[in-house]
Amino acid sequence: MGVSFDKRRSRWARLLVVSLWLASSQAMASPQLDERLHALREVGRFVPHEALKELLALDAETLAASPSIRAEYLSQLSLVWRSLGQKKQAMTVADELLALGTAQQDKVALARANLAKGYVLFSMNELKRSHQYLWEGERLAGLTGDMHLKVVATIASGQAHAEEGNFPAALGKMQAALTLARQSGDSTLMTMAYSALIRLYTQMKQFDKGFEMLAEAQPVALRTGSPGRVALMKDIEYGLAIETGQTPRGLKVLHEALALERQIGATVMKATTLTNLSDSYLKLLDYPHALTYAQEALELARTLGDGAAEATARINIGRAQLGLGKRAEGRASFEAGLAFYDHSGDKPTLQAVLIEYGAALERAGDMAGAVHAYHRERALSNQLFEKRREKAIWELQEKYEADSRERQIELLRRDNQIKSADIDNRRLQQRVWWLLALVSALVLVIVFSLYRKMRSANAQLKVRNLELKQQSARDPLTGLYNRRHFQEYMRGRLERDRLAGARTGENLVGALFLLDVDHFKNINDTYGHAAGDAVLRMISENLREILCGTDMIVRWGGEEFLAFLPAISRGGLDEVARRLLGGISAQRIDYQGTVISVNVSIGFAPYPLAPAGAALPWERALNLVDLALYLAKSHGRNRAYGLRGFAQLDRTSLEEIEQDLEQAWRAGHVDLSVVEGSPAPARSAA
């Protein structure tokens, strides 16, 4: 029959108490110090604040012990500091461990040091450096006979490959770690390897394999007798359940995990579980329960001093309060959470939270607040897009400068060779004067060759500069023009725009169309950023086909596109909008066995716009088009709002219209046309 899990759990709790007692007993002999450190491994994993007290008490004793015991101590201390969010202390200890391993030429210590530094750098979001240390740690661990170290290092290496998107390599490492763990026969090592492999299958969307591994892993986790390991396995089951739409199952295992975490005092894990419970109840629109768990998560995050967890809890509280109709409290909670990400500089997370904020306000009926949140998100999206473009240009320039430096080094090397040859020739001049003429001729030939190469290098530089200028005008993903090129283009049309403003009554006009992909974040979250890139490329290709006669199609920023049509029939604008809505929604993308389709929302207007006979600057006209786009978004998406003209301007002003376009429309000061798209077909698996 075996021992029940409740009995094993009690035994683990007693082991926890005994291990703490052993670690605090300063009278123990040195041979037992290794056993006490070993017992603290699991304590540090689940109750790091308790483990820290005991480890600090052992510092003097480990200094007098063997280098291998000191290395084990420093490794655990660095991991505990990192678990508690103290990155500086964790890195200092890791550096001390690296110095010890280098001095002793101890591969085990060096491997542990590299892993510790890699973990800390990961927590500091320095992924590239983190991966280099983790891979070096795996290499060194493979040269040792420490099975626990080999399994941990192989798992860390697989996680690094997964973070770089190299899933085949990551899968190979995780399977190798599981094989090593099975060979060791250690249930704890096997549970660690199973956990990492199941998380990878979840990340790869291979849910069937994830559930298959979960069925194998659960009995192994129970055999460890560790409530913490069982709670971790339940957290993994929750991830699979949520990804496959099994919210009730996810809630069940979260409650079970929370009970285990409360039992052993695993406060960090408990904070995560409370946040996940709040998220799950929000998905079920059960706002009272969501609010309860979010408030408990907030209190725990304050206790831990975890700013990110506190911000997440405040955002969940805000969503729940808005769902309960408490608009003022909900907005205040959301803004408090947003302030953390704004202060920390985490712009991508801030952008995602702003989208959630707008959606929550929209569901709560606060349309003005939702539009304001979407405006903030759009401004941030444009900033991030501009930064990515600047980074791409900087990387290209850096590559060019590196090539240029290599050429300069080569020229200097050859110049040094020439100088050396000249010195030798001077010495020989005293003995053989007739060789001087020959050497001089050789120098002239070399100089002439260098001159020709310099001219060739300058010509190549001009070509590369032209290529750089061309690339700076195009978006690298879609091949469309970018925002900067469009701004230069419109400045060049200033005089022609003035002439066009004097002919506003003619049948042919220009036109501005601004498109935004509906629910684009959901595509990235569900299928990954590669699927989002495929959608953007599909839309750009369709814009080229639908607007084959236009002079300018621009990727305006993120998932937003701008089209400028220089000449079109004034009565044909609605038809162009209808073709854009239908043409894009009719397209299908077959991505990894799933068929994806998207809709867009559109704002448009003739150009130039000339209220009261005076043509507006193109920037102001585009701002009105952007307001029309937000009307399309807030009124259901998959539609186009077009600004035809103005009326009764003696009763209002253009500034008031820009302040609230919808109100101006309803008051009769603005003439808008509405073009609705056809309903989008459901996505299906291939």
Side-chain angles (χ1 to χ4, degrees), residues 16 84 94 253 288 360 388 426 542 609 636 649:
L16 176 63
L84 294 172
V253 296
R388 286 193 293 268
R426 288 177 187 176
N542 277 271
L609 281 173
L649 287 179

Side-chain angles (χ1 to χ4, degrees), residues 141 338 485 618 665 672:
L338 286 167
H485 179 77
W618 71 267
W665 175 34
L672 293 180

Side-chain angles (χ1 to χ4, degrees), residues 278 282 290-291 294-296 298 312-322 329-330 333-334:
S278 177
L282 283 171
L291 182 59
Q295 288 172 335
E296 189 176 350
L298 176 61
T312 302
R314 290 189 182 277
I315 288 165
N316 283 353
I317 289 171
R319 290 174 63 188
Q321 289 171 331
L322 287 173
E329 296 93 328
S333 296
F334 248 112

Side-chain angles (χ1 to χ4, degrees), residues 604-620:
F604 65 94
Y607 180 82
L609 281 173
L616 295 176
W618 71 267
E619 296 93 339
R620 201 165 183 181

Side-chain angles (χ1 to χ4, degrees), residues 245-262:
Q246 303 179 56
T247 303
R249 178 177 180 177
L251 273 174
K252 177 178 177 295
V253 296
L254 279 179
H255 282 292
E256 293 171 351
L258 183 61
L260 293 168
E261 290 156 5
R262 291 186 193 279

Side-chain angles (χ1 to χ4, degrees), residues 585-650:
S585 64
Q587 297 301 313
R588 305 290 180 271
I589 298 175
D590 187 358
Y591 181 77
Q592 295 185 355
T594 300
V595 177
I596 304 173
S597 62
V598 296
N599 297 320
V600 296
S601 298
I602 303 174
F604 65 94
Y607 180 82
L609 281 173
L616 295 176
W618 71 267
E619 296 93 339
R620 201 165 183 181
L622 185 57
N623 182 56
L624 288 167
V625 171
D626 191 32
L627 293 174
L629 169 62
Y630 272 100
L631 278 182
K633 284 284 187 186
S634 61
H635 283 265
R637 300 182 174 86
N638 189 24
R639 61 192 64 204
Y641 274 59
L643 178 62
R644 292 175 173 167
F646 306 85
Q648 303 176 359
L649 287 179
D650 56 327

Side-chain angles (χ1 to χ4, degrees), residues 209-511:
K209 292 184 178 179
F211 280 116
E212 181 182 339
M213 289 292 102
L214 180 65
E216 292 183 18
Q218 286 172 330
V220 179
L222 288 172
R223 286 202 300 270
T224 64
S226 165
R229 293 295 171 188
V230 177
L232 280 178
M233 195 59 65
K234 290 186 180 295
D235 180 63
I236 292 170
E237 183 178 355
Y238 160 75
L240 277 170
I242 291 301
E243 288 289 343
T244 53
Q246 303 179 56
T247 303
R249 178 177 180 177
L251 273 174
K252 177 178 177 295
V253 296
L254 279 179
H255 282 292
E256 293 171 351
L258 183 61
L260 293 168
E261 290 156 5
R262 291 186 193 279
Q263 176 187 344
I264 63 175
T267 54
V268 176
M269 293 174 61
K270 185 166 61 175
T272 302
T273 301
L274 288 169
T275 300
N276 289 336
L277 277 168
S278 177
D279 286 335
S280 297
Y281 279 116
L282 283 171
K283 289 177 182 177
L284 294 174
L285 306 183
D286 185 346
Y287 298 118
H289 279 97
L291 182 59
T292 298
Y293 287 109
Q295 288 172 335
E296 189 176 350
L298 176 61
E299 293 302 320
L300 198 56
R302 286 172 174 169
T303 302
L304 294 170
D306 189 337
E310 183 177 344
T312 302
R314 290 189 182 277
I315 288 165
N316 283 353
I317 289 171
R319 290 174 63 188
Q321 289 171 331
L322 287 173
L324 291 169
K326 300 177 181 179
R327 290 188 184 179
E329 296 93 328
R331 293 183 67 161
S333 296
F334 248 112
E335 292 293 345
L338 286 167
F340 170 82
Y341 293 113
D342 191 21
H343 179 72
S344 67
D346 189 351
K347 301 298 184 183
T349 302
L350 178 61
Q351 181 186 9
V353 174
L354 281 170
I355 293 174
E356 289 184 5
Y357 191 17
L361 289 171
E362 189 175 344
R363 284 194 299 271
D366 187 353
M367 295 304 175
V371 169
H372 181 65
Y374 288 139
H375 270 298
R376 290 168 66 186
E377 183 276 329
R378 184 51 40 82
L380 184 60
S381 174
N382 290 339
Q383 290 178 16
L384 292 173
F385 176 79
E386 186 66 21
K387 287 182 179 179
R388 286 193 293 268
R389 187 189 68 82
E390 290 176 357
K391 181 181 178 182
I393 293 175
W394 179 81
E395 289 176 348
L396 184 62
Q397 183 66 30
E398 187 181 54
K399 181 179 179 182
Y400 167 75
E401 290 175 354
D403 292 341
S404 178
R405 284 194 296 270
E406 288 181 3
R407 289 194 299 271
Q408 290 175 359
I409 291 171
E410 178 64 19
L411 288 173
L412 288 172
R413 186 182 66 81
R414 295 188 180 185
D415 187 54
N416 288 333
Q417 290 177 346
I418 294 170
K419 290 178 180 179
S420 298
D422 188 46
I423 292 172
D424 292 340
N425 289 331
R426 288 177 187 176
R427 292 173 180 172
L428 291 173
Q429 184 179 16
Q430 299 174 359
R431 301 178 183 178
V432 284
W433 61 268
W434 52 270
L435 290 177
L436 181 60
L438 180 61
V439 171
S440 299
L442 179 61
V443 170
L444 288 175
V445 170
I446 294 174
V447 170
F448 179 72
S449 175
L450 290 173
Y451 174 73
R452 290 184 60 188
K453 289 186 178 181
M454 186 177 298
R455 290 188 61 186
S456 175
N458 288 335
Q460 292 178 9
L461 176 60
K462 291 180 180 178
V463 172
R464 295 295 293 274
N465 284 335
L466 289 174
E467 292 175 352
L468 184 61
K469 183 178 180 181
Q470 175 67 15
Q471 291 173 3
S472 69
R474 294 280 183 178
D475 172 58
L477 176 64
T478 62
L480 300 178
Y481 288 115
N482 59 27
R483 181 191 289 254
R484 176 182 176 186
H485 179 77
F486 178 78
Q487 291 169 338
E488 294 175 355
Y489 173 83
M490 293 303 288
R491 282 195 290 269
R493 289 182 55 92
L494 180 60
E495 190 60 32
R496 282 174 285 175
D497 287 347
R498 290 176 182 169
L499 295 175
R503 300 194 300 267
T504 54
E506 296 180 4
N507 187 44
L508 285 179
V509 296

